[in-house]
């Protein structure tokens, strides 16, 4: 089922509570399925978004996580962010970060105005070859 709408953006805010992590995981799965990602690629994206949320969850200073899903077929970019303590960055040598980067085309973390954003990007054709 291919989306004919082209570029789109979906925004989601959830409480920084592990009980809600299934929500962004479900959203990315649905969006990837609508944009011709394979079943394996959909699972990879779900796990990557889950890891991004898990990295930010304990650091959220205001108790909220934001996820922005940008669809520009065949590419899907997810930006997961939270207000974090000054100077906190994810450990890029951790198991969680290693898993996250292995599952997507690219992953990065950046801090802007005290808000840390973890960005993951996958392309339907590139993800199929993983």
């Amino acid at each position: 089922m291919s989306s004919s709408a082209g570029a789109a953006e979906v925004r989601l805010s959830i409480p920084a509570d592990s009980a809600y992590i299934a929500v962004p995981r479900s959203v990315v799965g649905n969006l990837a399925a609508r944009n011709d990602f394979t079943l394996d690629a959909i699972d990879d994206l779900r796990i990557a978004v889950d890891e991004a949320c898990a990295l930010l969850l304990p650091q959220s200073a205001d108790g909220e996580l934001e996820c922005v899903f940008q669809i520009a077929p065949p590419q899907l970019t997810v930006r997961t962010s939270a207000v974090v303590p000054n100077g906190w960055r994810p450990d890029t040598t951790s198991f969680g970060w290693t898993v996250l980067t292995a599952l997507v085309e690219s992953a990065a973390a950046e801090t802007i105005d005290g808000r840390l954003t973890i960005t993951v990007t996958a392309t339907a054709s590139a993800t199929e070859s993983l």
Side-chain angles (χ1 to χ4, degrees):
M1 172 191 323
S2 179
S3 174
S4 60
E9 182 175 280
V10 175
R11 294 179 169 274
L12 174 69
S13 287
I14 61 169
D17 182 317
S18 61
Y20 294 93
I21 299 303
V23 176
R25 187 174 46 225
S26 295
V27 170
V28 78
N30 181 281
L31 294 173
R34 291 177 169 273
N35 286 281
D36 298 328
F37 282 73
T38 65
L39 291 177
D40 286 341
I42 292 166
D43 285 342
D44 288 349
L45 273 167
R46 283 182 179 145
I47 294 167
V49 167
D50 190 61
E51 287 297 329
C53 290
L55 288 168
L56 289 171
L57 185 75
Q59 302 301 325
S60 176
D62 65 357
E64 184 177 288
L65 291 181
E66 274 190 21
C67 297
V68 177
F69 306 86
Q70 293 180 313
I71 305 109
Q75 194 169 67
L76 179 56
T77 299
V78 182
R79 289 182 175 81
T80 306
S81 65
V83 175
V84 297
N86 193 24
W88 183 83
R89 303 265 310 161
D91 178 1
T92 58
T93 63
S94 70
F95 179 73
W97 188 263
T98 301
V99 168
L100 186 142
T101 57
L103 296 171
V104 293
E105 194 174 327
S106 68
E110 66 179 333
T111 304
I112 300 171
D113 297 328
R115 186 168 202 88
L116 185 95
T117 301
I118 297 175
T119 303
V120 297
T121 302
T123 303
S125 61
T127 310
E128 291 175 27
S129 65
L130 291 175

